[in-house]
Amino acid sequence: MKSITVQNIKDTFQLEVLTGADRLDRIITRPRSHRPGLEFVGYFDFFPMERVQVLGRKEINYLLTRSVEERKLHIGNIVKYHPPCFIVTTGQEEIHYLTLFCEQEGIPLLRTAETTTEFIAKLDGYLVKALAPEMSIHGVCVNVAGIGILLRGKSGIGKSETAHTLIRKGHRFVADDIVVLKKLGPTTLLGTHNQTSREFLALRSVGLINVVRQYGRTAFQDETRIVLDIELSPWRENALNNELEVVPQFTEYLGIQIPHLEVQLQPGRDVAGLIEAAANNWYLKQLGYSAAEDFMSRIQNEMQS
């Protein structure tokens, strides 16, 4: 199971540490944070104790309206479960009572000046990506007109060269050689780089190039949602599908099925152009348009007339 530490969150969001500076190595394994509202009134049946606990104005103001004894009871009932940490938003200061409990239990207490809604949105987005199941595959990842594509094929088949052509056409490069895939949801697969190879593209006979320095910042992006899996393969006689509509095929990564296409290589074939066509065709299908169905409809109309 993937994990991060409270220190990672503290550094990422530049949080102020109020107590527990020596406990920032506590482990976080659950994506998304939790606001302990129902727990303050005694309902603990579904309390996600493994999550980061965020206290906004509502929670703090509620505690301030309670008597000292009630406040101790409400806070004590939560800290005894030892969540990874507490984060107070909007720079609230009347929390000395919470600080004491966190000190006693050794739980980090941090603070941010951001509003609760804005901070939780950023924190949850970070946690989902940081803790997402992931795998690495050999290939190239590009973004063609806003559509994330994974290019695969044997070493030396021309994946990087094809990506270079797409970059020169105005599309964006994401990763070369090692593509990291992250599962962000039941149907969402994210493609990114492994940090070490960030911005670098290896071209045979030329060598390593830095895409950003050579073609500008707009030629690169850190990540993209993968919606097409395209395999580049050697030309095979009589193997291409010339039907009006190609039978849908899929490749599965981390339990998510991605539409799969095979593009065979031969001198003279515009591989980059075919990939652009495949991306645009996928987009039109999402809008409910099928060129094959449109064509057959025209033929039927002509026959009827």
Side-chain angles (χ1 to χ4, degrees):
M1 180 181 293
K2 292 187 65 178
S3 66
I4 60 174
T5 65
V6 177
Q7 181 74 52
N8 295 136
I9 292 180
K10 182 260 182 188
D11 293 342
T12 300
F13 297 99
Q14 298 296 301
L15 302 179
E16 176 188 3
V17 180
L18 302 178
T19 186
D22 58 338
R23 295 296 184 93
L24 297 182
D25 58 349
R26 289 172 68 95
I27 300 298
I28 300 169
T29 59
R30 294 285 298 278
R32 305 192 185 282
S33 56
H34 176 68
R35 295 182 70 176
L38 289 175
E39 290 76 20
F40 280 146
V41 295
Y43 187 77
F44 285 88
D45 286 3
F46 301 98
F47 178 45
M49 65 189 75
E50 304 92 349
R51 294 185 181 180
V52 173
Q53 306 296 312
V54 179
L55 304 176
R57 286 194 182 277
K58 289 182 179 180
E59 291 79 15
I60 297 300
N61 287 341
Y62 171 77
L63 290 173
L64 290 173
T65 64
R66 304 293 94 187
S67 67
V68 175
E69 292 303 318
E70 287 177 323
R71 194 181 303 158
K72 288 181 179 179
L73 177 64
H74 293 326
I75 299 174
N77 284 340
I78 292 180
V79 298
K80 70 180 182 182
Y81 286 98
H82 284 261
C85 68
F86 287 96
I87 301 177
V88 176
T89 62
T90 62
Q92 298 174 91
E93 297 182 351
E94 296 183 61
I95 53 173
H96 59 278
Y97 52 88
L98 181 60
T99 303
L100 292 175
F101 270 91
C102 289
E103 286 178 349
Q104 292 172 4
E105 298 295 332
I107 302 173
L109 175 63
L110 305 98
R111 181 164 58 192
T112 176
E114 290 195 71
T115 64
T116 308
T117 303
E118 291 177 350
F119 178 71
I120 287 180
K122 293 179 182 179
L123 177 61
D124 286 353
Y126 168 77
L127 291 173
V128 167
K129 287 184 180 180
L131 299 175
E134 67 177 50
M135 64 180 293
S136 297
I137 67 167
H138 174 67
V140 175
C141 184
V142 291
N143 183 285
V144 177
I147 297 170
I149 296 177
L150 187 62
L151 298 179
R152 296 187 299 108
K154 294 182 179 179
S155 181
I157 196 70
K159 300 182 295 297
S160 299
E161 289 81 357
T162 300
H164 181 253
T165 302
L166 289 168
I167 293 168
R168 294 187 63 208
K169 283 173 168 276
H171 304 296
R172 294 186 173 186
F173 168 69
V174 178
D176 180 38
D177 192 30
I178 298 176
V179 181
V180 179
L181 301 178
K182 296 187 176 185
K183 182 180 181 179
L184 300 189
T187 60
T188 303
L189 188 70
L190 191 74
T192 185
H193 47 78
N194 67 349
Q195 292 298 329
T196 303
S197 60
R198 185 177 189 270
E199 301 177 359
F200 288 112
L201 178 67
L203 298 173
R204 291 175 184 270
S205 303
V206 175
L208 206 62
I209 68 169
N210 186 303
V211 170
V212 172
R213 289 182 177 271
Q214 192 153 339
Y215 296 106
R217 174 55 55 186
T218 57
F220 172 80
Q221 68 181 60
D222 267 314
E223 57 192 29
T224 186
R225 181 184 177 186
I226 302 295
V227 297
L228 273 180
D229 175 73
I230 297 181
E231 181 180 2
L232 303 184
S233 61
W235 181 268
R236 301 189 305 276
E237 292 293 339
N238 302 318
L240 286 180
N241 191 325
N242 290 317
E243 296 178 359
L244 295 180
E245 188 76 31
V246 178
V247 177
Q249 295 183 346
F250 299 88
T251 305
E252 187 172 301
Y253 300 104
L254 297 169
I256 299 176
Q257 289 195 328
I258 304 296
H260 168 82
L261 295 174
E262 180 185 6
V263 174
Q264 294 185 25
L265 306 184
Q266 188 183 50
R269 292 204 88 192
D270 181 8
V271 179
L274 290 173
I275 291 173
E276 288 179 313
N280 291 329
N281 199 43
W282 176 89
Y283 178 73
L284 289 174
K285 286 182 178 180
Q286 305 314 298
L287 299 179
Y289 175 79
S290 169
E293 291 179 3
D294 190 4
F295 180 70
M296 292 303 298
S297 177
R298 293 184 185 183
I299 292 178
Q300 290 176 359
N301 290 337
E302 287 183 6
M303 294 176 62
Q304 292 174 358
S305 63

